[in-house]
Amino acid sequence: MSKEKFNWKGLFINEEENSEEKKAKEVKEPTRSQTQSFPETTTPVSKFPVQPPKTTLVNDTVLNTVIEMYESGFESLNKPGYDFYEFFKAIKAVGSNDPSVYKMALTMAQGVDSNVTKSGLLSQADFYINEIEKVHKQYSSQGSTKKTKILEAQKTKKDSLSAEVSQLEKKLIDIQNQISVKKDLLSSVDANLMSEVSEIDQKIVANDKARSKILETIVAVVDGIKSNL
Protein backbone atom coordinates (compact mmCIF):
# COMPACT_ATOMS: atom_id res chain seq x y z
CA MET A 1 0.00 0.00 0.00
CA SER A 2 1.27 3.41 -0.95
CA LYS A 3 2.11 5.73 1.87
CA GLU A 4 1.11 8.77 -0.21
CA LYS A 5 -1.33 10.89 1.77
CA PHE A 6 -4.79 11.14 0.31
CA ASN A 7 -6.03 14.61 -0.51
CA TRP A 8 -9.58 14.54 0.83
CA LYS A 9 -10.30 18.07 -0.30
CA GLY A 10 -9.61 17.06 -3.87
CA LEU A 11 -12.18 14.30 -3.51
CA PHE A 12 -14.93 15.75 -1.37
CA ILE A 13 -14.73 19.52 -1.80
CA ASN A 14 -15.43 20.43 -5.40
CA GLU A 15 -14.48 24.09 -5.17
CA GLU A 16 -10.98 24.95 -4.07
CA GLU A 17 -10.51 27.78 -1.61
CA ASN A 18 -10.02 31.01 -3.48
CA SER A 19 -7.19 33.32 -2.67
CA GLU A 20 -9.37 35.52 -0.44
CA GLU A 21 -10.49 32.50 1.63
CA LYS A 22 -6.90 31.38 2.01
CA LYS A 23 -5.90 34.83 3.20
CA ALA A 24 -8.82 34.88 5.63
CA LYS A 25 -7.76 31.46 6.91
CA GLU A 26 -4.23 32.65 7.45
CA VAL A 27 -5.50 35.70 9.36
CA LYS A 28 -8.34 34.14 11.33
CA GLU A 29 -6.96 30.69 12.05
CA PRO A 30 -5.44 30.71 15.54
CA THR A 31 -1.97 29.44 16.18
CA ARG A 32 -1.40 26.19 18.06
CA SER A 33 -0.11 28.12 21.06
CA GLN A 34 -3.42 30.02 21.22
CA THR A 35 -5.70 27.02 20.98
CA GLN A 36 -3.80 24.13 22.43
CA SER A 37 -2.00 25.59 25.41
CA PHE A 38 -3.47 24.55 28.77
CA PRO A 39 -2.14 25.16 32.28
CA GLU A 40 0.23 22.40 33.36
CA THR A 41 -1.77 22.02 36.58
CA THR A 42 -4.64 20.34 34.75
CA THR A 43 -5.03 16.84 36.14
CA PRO A 44 -6.31 14.38 33.55
CA VAL A 45 -9.03 12.02 34.70
CA SER A 46 -9.26 9.90 31.58
CA LYS A 47 -7.02 9.80 28.54
CA PHE A 48 -7.53 9.06 24.89
CA PRO A 49 -6.01 5.82 23.56
CA VAL A 50 -2.55 6.40 22.12
CA GLN A 51 -2.82 3.41 19.80
CA PRO A 52 -5.88 1.69 18.32
CA PRO A 53 -6.79 -1.77 19.66
CA LYS A 54 -4.45 -4.50 18.47
CA THR A 55 -5.79 -6.85 15.86
CA THR A 56 -4.30 -10.03 14.48
CA LEU A 57 -5.80 -9.42 11.04
CA VAL A 58 -3.93 -6.22 10.19
CA ASN A 59 -0.22 -5.72 9.80
CA ASP A 60 1.02 -2.81 11.94
CA THR A 61 2.66 -1.14 8.93
CA VAL A 62 -0.57 -1.28 6.93
CA LEU A 63 -2.64 -0.09 9.89
CA ASN A 64 -0.34 2.84 10.63
CA THR A 65 -0.33 3.87 6.97
CA VAL A 66 -4.13 3.94 6.79
CA ILE A 67 -4.40 5.79 10.13
CA GLU A 68 -1.94 8.38 8.82
CA MET A 69 -4.04 8.73 5.67
CA TYR A 70 -7.21 9.33 7.69
CA GLU A 71 -5.48 11.85 9.93
CA SER A 72 -4.08 13.65 6.90
CA GLY A 73 -7.52 13.63 5.26
CA PHE A 74 -9.11 14.97 8.44
CA GLU A 75 -6.58 17.79 8.47
CA SER A 76 -7.20 18.57 4.79
CA LEU A 77 -10.89 19.15 5.54
CA ASN A 78 -10.10 21.93 8.02
CA LYS A 79 -11.93 25.14 7.14
CA PRO A 80 -10.71 28.71 7.64
CA GLY A 81 -11.07 30.15 11.10
CA TYR A 82 -11.71 28.41 14.37
CA ASP A 83 -14.01 25.40 14.19
CA PHE A 84 -14.32 21.87 15.53
CA TYR A 85 -10.96 20.85 14.03
CA GLU A 86 -9.02 23.37 16.14
CA PHE A 87 -11.09 22.42 19.21
CA PHE A 88 -10.36 18.74 18.57
CA LYS A 89 -6.63 19.42 18.21
CA ALA A 90 -6.63 21.39 21.46
CA ILE A 91 -8.33 18.59 23.40
CA LYS A 92 -6.13 15.92 21.83
CA ALA A 93 -2.96 17.91 22.57
CA VAL A 94 -3.77 17.79 26.27
CA GLY A 95 -4.50 14.09 26.03
CA SER A 96 -7.22 14.25 28.67
CA ASN A 97 -10.92 13.52 28.47
CA ASP A 98 -11.61 15.38 31.73
CA PRO A 99 -14.75 17.61 31.68
CA SER A 100 -12.77 20.58 32.98
CA VAL A 101 -10.51 20.36 29.96
CA TYR A 102 -13.48 20.72 27.64
CA LYS A 103 -14.77 23.74 29.55
CA MET A 104 -11.36 25.36 29.52
CA ALA A 105 -10.95 24.61 25.80
CA LEU A 106 -14.30 26.23 25.04
CA THR A 107 -13.39 29.31 27.09
CA MET A 108 -10.08 29.67 25.25
CA ALA A 109 -11.79 29.06 21.88
CA GLN A 110 -14.31 31.81 22.59
CA GLY A 111 -11.39 34.06 23.45
CA VAL A 112 -10.14 33.53 19.91
CA ASP A 113 -13.56 33.60 18.24
CA SER A 114 -16.59 34.77 20.22
CA ASN A 115 -18.90 32.95 17.81
CA VAL A 116 -17.71 29.51 18.98
CA THR A 117 -20.55 27.63 20.70
CA LYS A 118 -21.30 24.10 21.83
CA SER A 119 -23.99 23.64 19.18
CA GLY A 120 -21.72 25.08 16.53
CA LEU A 121 -18.91 22.69 17.43
CA LEU A 122 -21.31 19.72 17.35
CA SER A 123 -22.66 20.77 13.96
CA GLN A 124 -19.12 21.15 12.59
CA ALA A 125 -18.19 17.78 14.08
CA ASP A 126 -21.04 16.21 12.10
CA PHE A 127 -19.48 17.56 8.91
CA TYR A 128 -16.12 15.91 9.66
CA ILE A 129 -17.75 12.67 10.77
CA ASN A 130 -19.87 12.50 7.62
CA GLU A 131 -16.86 13.13 5.38
CA ILE A 132 -14.83 10.44 7.16
CA GLU A 133 -17.76 8.04 6.83
CA LYS A 134 -17.90 8.80 3.10
CA VAL A 135 -14.23 7.92 2.76
CA HIS A 136 -14.68 4.76 4.79
CA LYS A 137 -17.66 3.69 2.70
CA GLN A 138 -15.82 4.44 -0.54
CA TYR A 139 -12.69 2.56 0.46
CA SER A 140 -14.73 -0.35 1.81
CA SER A 141 -16.55 -0.57 -1.50
CA GLN A 142 -13.32 -0.30 -3.49
CA GLY A 143 -11.65 -2.90 -1.30
CA SER A 144 -14.58 -5.33 -1.58
CA THR A 145 -14.73 -4.85 -5.35
CA LYS A 146 -10.99 -5.39 -5.76
CA LYS A 147 -11.07 -8.43 -3.47
CA THR A 148 -13.98 -9.92 -5.43
CA LYS A 149 -12.13 -9.40 -8.73
CA ILE A 150 -9.00 -11.03 -7.35
CA LEU A 151 -10.95 -14.01 -6.02
CA GLU A 152 -12.83 -14.36 -9.31
CA ALA A 153 -9.56 -14.20 -11.26
CA GLN A 154 -8.08 -16.76 -8.88
CA LYS A 155 -11.05 -19.11 -9.41
CA THR A 156 -10.89 -18.67 -13.18
CA LYS A 157 -7.15 -19.42 -13.18
CA LYS A 158 -7.58 -22.45 -10.93
CA ASP A 159 -10.45 -23.79 -13.06
CA SER A 160 -8.37 -23.34 -16.21
CA LEU A 161 -5.34 -25.05 -14.69
CA SER A 162 -7.49 -27.87 -13.30
CA ALA A 163 -8.96 -28.45 -16.76
CA GLU A 164 -5.46 -28.52 -18.28
CA VAL A 165 -4.27 -30.94 -15.60
CA SER A 166 -7.25 -33.22 -16.29
CA GLN A 167 -6.51 -33.18 -20.02
CA LEU A 168 -2.84 -33.95 -19.42
CA GLU A 169 -3.76 -36.77 -17.01
CA LYS A 170 -6.09 -38.23 -19.65
CA LYS A 171 -3.34 -38.00 -22.25
CA LEU A 172 -0.95 -39.61 -19.81
CA ILE A 173 -3.34 -42.53 -19.27
CA ASP A 174 -3.69 -42.92 -23.06
CA ILE A 175 0.08 -42.86 -23.47
CA GLN A 176 0.53 -45.40 -20.67
CA ASN A 177 -2.00 -47.68 -22.37
CA GLN A 178 -0.18 -47.30 -25.67
CA ILE A 179 3.12 -48.09 -23.96
CA SER A 180 1.60 -51.25 -22.46
CA VAL A 181 0.33 -52.35 -25.86
CA LYS A 182 3.70 -51.68 -27.47
CA LYS A 183 5.49 -53.64 -24.76
CA ASP A 184 3.21 -56.62 -25.38
CA LEU A 185 3.93 -56.35 -29.10
CA LEU A 186 7.64 -56.10 -28.38
CA SER A 187 7.52 -59.27 -26.31
CA SER A 188 5.57 -61.13 -28.98
CA VAL A 189 8.03 -60.08 -31.68
CA ASP A 190 10.75 -62.34 -30.28
CA ALA A 191 8.45 -65.34 -29.97
CA ASN A 192 6.98 -64.98 -33.45
CA LEU A 193 10.27 -64.29 -35.20
CA MET A 194 12.18 -66.97 -33.33
CA SER A 195 9.61 -69.52 -34.49
CA GLU A 196 10.14 -68.44 -38.09
CA VAL A 197 13.92 -68.42 -37.67
CA SER A 198 13.82 -71.91 -36.17
CA GLU A 199 11.76 -73.18 -39.10
CA ILE A 200 14.20 -71.61 -41.55
CA ASP A 201 17.16 -73.13 -39.72
CA GLN A 202 15.53 -76.56 -39.98
CA LYS A 203 14.97 -76.09 -43.67
CA ILE A 204 18.59 -75.03 -44.16
CA VAL A 205 19.80 -78.11 -42.33
CA ALA A 206 17.36 -80.30 -44.21
CA ASN A 207 18.53 -78.72 -47.45
CA ASP A 208 22.11 -79.60 -46.62
CA LYS A 209 21.20 -83.16 -45.68
CA ALA A 210 19.01 -83.67 -48.74
CA ARG A 211 21.84 -82.42 -50.94
CA SER A 212 24.35 -84.67 -49.29
CA LYS A 213 22.04 -87.65 -49.55
CA ILE A 214 21.16 -87.22 -53.20
CA LEU A 215 24.73 -86.41 -54.12
CA GLU A 216 25.99 -89.52 -52.32
CA THR A 217 23.60 -91.65 -54.35
CA ILE A 218 24.57 -89.94 -57.58
CA VAL A 219 28.27 -90.26 -56.80
CA ALA A 220 27.78 -93.96 -56.01
CA VAL A 221 26.09 -94.53 -59.31
CA VAL A 222 28.82 -92.58 -61.09
CA ASP A 223 31.47 -94.66 -59.36
CA GLY A 224 29.56 -97.84 -60.34
CA ILE A 225 29.53 -96.79 -63.94
CA LYS A 226 33.22 -96.15 -63.84
CA SER A 227 34.01 -99.41 -62.18
CA ASN A 228 31.54 -101.76 -63.75
CA LEU A 229 31.33 -100.73 -67.34
Side-chain angles (χ1 to χ4, degrees):
M1 180 179 288
S2 174
K3 292 187 177 181
E4 182 178 357
K5 295 182 178 179
F6 187 78
N7 184 352
W8 288 14
K9 284 191 175 181
L11 177 64
F12 296 114
I13 301 178
N14 295 326
E15 297 183 0
E16 293 291 334
E17 293 178 348
N18 57 38
S19 58
E20 293 300 324
E21 289 176 332
K22 291 182 178 180
K23 291 180 180 179
K25 182 176 179 180
E26 292 175 356
V27 173
K28 294 182 180 180
E29 188 169 357
T31 62
R32 175 169 297 186
S33 61
Q34 290 177 310
T35 62
Q36 299 180 0
S37 177
F38 287 83
E40 297 181 359
T41 57
T42 300
T43 303
V45 174
S46 61
K47 295 184 177 181
F48 297 103
V50 177
Q51 294 293 337
K54 286 288 185 178
T55 172
T56 57
L57 298 178
V58 181
N59 179 278
D60 286 343
T61 300
V62 175
L63 179 60
N64 291 334
T65 299
V66 176
I67 289 175
E68 181 182 352
M69 180 196 69
Y70 268 80
E71 290 177 345
S72 176
F74 180 28
E75 180 180 0
S76 71
L77 292 170
N78 185 25
K79 297 179 179 180
Y82 194 104
D83 73 343
F84 173 79
Y85 178 80
E86 282 72 30
F87 189 86
F88 168 84
K89 294 291 286 184
I91 295 294
K92 188 177 179 182
V94 177
S96 170
N97 207 24
D98 182 40
S100 63
V101 173
Y102 283 83
K103 293 178 181 179
M104 187 176 299
L106 180 59
T107 299
M108 296 179 66
Q110 290 173 339
V112 176
D113 186 346
S114 60
N115 293 320
V116 176
T117 62
K118 175 182 176 179
S119 61
L121 291 173
L122 292 177
S123 176
Q124 295 158 3
D126 286 340
F127 163 77
Y128 289 105
I129 292 172
N130 290 335
E131 295 302 313
I132 291 173
E133 290 293 354
K134 287 180 184 178
V135 171
H136 176 266
K137 184 177 180 180
Q138 179 187 15
Y139 285 159
S140 292
S141 177
Q142 290 177 352
S144 296
T145 300
K146 188 172 184 178
K147 179 180 177 180
T148 298
K149 288 182 179 180
I150 291 175
L151 292 177
E152 288 177 348
Q154 179 189 41
K155 184 178 183 302
T156 300
K157 186 64 175 178
K158 289 178 68 175
D159 290 345
S160 176
L161 289 173
S162 295
E164 291 180 14
V165 169
S166 295
Q167 292 177 356
L168 291 174
E169 288 176 340
K170 183 178 180 181
K171 289 181 180 180
L172 178 60
I173 292 174
D174 291 340
I175 292 174
Q176 289 175 333
N177 290 335
Q178 292 178 28
I179 291 174
S180 179
V181 171
K182 296 300 181 182
K183 284 184 176 181
D184 291 341
L185 289 174
L186 181 61
S187 298
S188 66
V189 165
D190 288 342
N192 293 335
L193 292 182
M194 288 306 295
S195 176
E196 292 182 21
V197 170
S198 176
E199 183 177 354
I200 292 173
D201 286 340
Q202 292 181 40
K203 289 180 179 180
I204 291 174
V205 172
N207 178 59
D208 291 341
K209 289 185 177 182
R211 166 185 170 276
S212 298
K213 183 176 181 180
I214 190 67
L215 287 179
E216 287 177 0
T217 303
I218 292 174
V219 170
V221 172
V222 171
D223 289 341
I225 291 174
K226 291 179 179 180
S227 299
N228 298 317
L229 294 178

